[in-house]
Amino acid sequence: MGSRYQVDDDPLARMLAPPPNETAEQKEARLRVEAEARQRSDKIDEQIKAERAAMKKNKPVKVLLLGQSESGKSTTLKNFQLSYCQDQWEAERVSWRMVIQLNLVRGINAILDVLSSELSGPAPPGADSDISDDDDDTTGMHPVYGSALLTSKHRLLKLRLAPLRTVQRDLELTIGIQAGDDMSDVTIGTSPPGSPILGPGGKKQEFFVRSATTWKKEHSHSRSELSGRRSKEVQMRETADILAGCAEDMLAVWQDAGIRELLVRKGIRMESTPGFFLNDIRRIASRHYIPTNDDVVRARLRTLGVQEHKIKLNKGPATGSDWYIYDVGGSRTQRMAWYPYFDDCDAIIFLAPINCFDERLTEDRRVNRLEDSYMLWRAVISSKLLAKTSIVLFLNKCDLLKEKLQSGVRIKDHVHSYGDRPNEVEHAVKYFGSHFKEILRKYSPEPRPFRVHHTSVVDTEATAVTLSVVEEGILREHLQRADLL
């Protein structure tokens, strides 16, 4: 047990030992062969090392878009596609025509819902109960029940625009839109997403498509599918004809002073709802309407489930690299689906809409939307799974924040800690940003850089510049983790 192996007892040592009685010439030849073998071995090792490095370098960059519902995640994804996937973008752009038409029609129908409710209300004191409802009265001078500013002209407009209910239903069926889980009290004329029409006790939910829905894809060329395509094209022409025929009446509804006063009195700001196209009625209601890039970016279509998009960057420092961008649902019921995507994540772009300091969550009217963003931000940056993950914060919807402040809404009336700071965009953005920074400092498992951008992601040109900066930073950190810098 105490003996040790000798060299002569080791088969490998015997094999590698020089032969006995080796001459000088034989030794030189042996050493030359061994040197050549070492060179080949070293070359193979270098090749393996280079291949491993290339695998690390070519590993796709994984980016998550996080934030509450209607924070701008899908719009940010569209900007990525517009900036880096032009061919795919152009192929899909025309498909968005139906969605944009639906956004427009739903906006008008939402106003008509409010108008109907007002017209069916109790008669104001002293109202004449013998007012005629004859369609021949086109002067619009006879007041009707509900509001002194609403007349029989408004009732006639409502009747003329009744076909838009059918248009909305047909568009929803064609796109593959589904209703929410609890839709017992939702009519076809449901309110636009995020609309204040949804009262504190309302259960109306926004329509959606599932992530597996293929409404943007072209049909194949089988006989049955060609027939389906022709039917779809016929429907699209019919939709365009109806919208063109209703264009003047839609414009009359949107520009009417009485209806505008009614919306203000109800606290409804159509301009702040996602998918707002009421200022583009003439253009979109044209028979020959083709969506612009800005139209597609602004279009609203809620998608339920996680969307994975592979993008091969064709410009910038990351040219040629593959990026996987995940757009996950932001409503409270969908947030548990985030966690499986945290593993092996390179970066998170967190979108916080800062125009919503005076708004409530659609899914829980007790919760302020800005406070919800703070809580969500805290949950993300405190996650140990994301301790090494790069996080970029977009303080989004600065354009809508500016409009809201200019309309007279005061931040301090809703955010008491804002105090007597100026009610201006620059000061508001700085204040909200400092709060996010403080949460990061307090709850992050370890110190990390804080990168924040003030964004309005519906502005495609400005967002393209922001994304180029974000792309470079994410790529640098991705390569650092791969030990290539």
Side-chain angles (χ1 to χ4, degrees), residues 100-137:
I100 295 164
Q101 290 171 331
L102 177 59
N103 287 169
L104 174 62
V105 170
R106 290 183 68 189
I108 291 293
N109 282 339
I111 295 176
L112 294 178
D113 286 343
V114 180
L115 182 61
S116 295
S117 177
E118 192 73 4
L119 290 174
S120 62
D128 185 357
S129 59
D130 295 328
I131 293 175
S132 172
D133 290 335
D134 291 342
D135 289 346
D136 291 336
D137 175 20

Side-chain angles (χ1 to χ4, degrees), residues 274-338:
F276 172 75
F277 287 100
L278 295 179
N279 287 338
D280 304 280
I281 291 175
R282 288 193 186 277
R283 184 170 59 86
I284 295 174
S286 166
R287 287 181 173 85
H288 306 291
Y289 166 66
I290 298 296
T292 66
N293 290 339
D294 285 343
D295 289 345
V296 177
V297 169
R298 290 163 50 207
R300 169 67 175 177
L301 181 62
R302 182 188 178 205
T303 302
L304 196 64
V306 177
Q307 299 181 74
E308 176 186 291
H309 293 265
K310 180 180 178 181
I311 295 178
K312 182 177 285 292
L313 272 61
N314 55 15
K315 62 181 179 180
T319 298
S321 62
D322 291 326
W323 287 44
Y324 284 88
I325 302 180
Y326 297 86
D327 175 11
V328 297
S331 66
R332 285 189 159 189
T333 57
Q334 298 185 66
R335 293 175 187 175
M336 290 302 295
W338 294 7

Side-chain angles (χ1 to χ4, degrees), residues 9-24:
D9 298 326
D10 186 345
L12 180 60
R14 288 200 305 271
M15 183 179 69
L16 297 177
N21 303 321
E22 181 181 43
T23 65

Side-chain angles (χ1 to χ4, degrees), residues 62-64 341-348 386 389-390 481:
K62 182 179 177 181
V63 179
L64 298 186
Y341 294 86
F342 286 177
D343 185 39
D344 198 27
C345 174
D346 290 288
I348 287 174
L386 301 173
T389 302
S390 171
R481 281 189 292 272

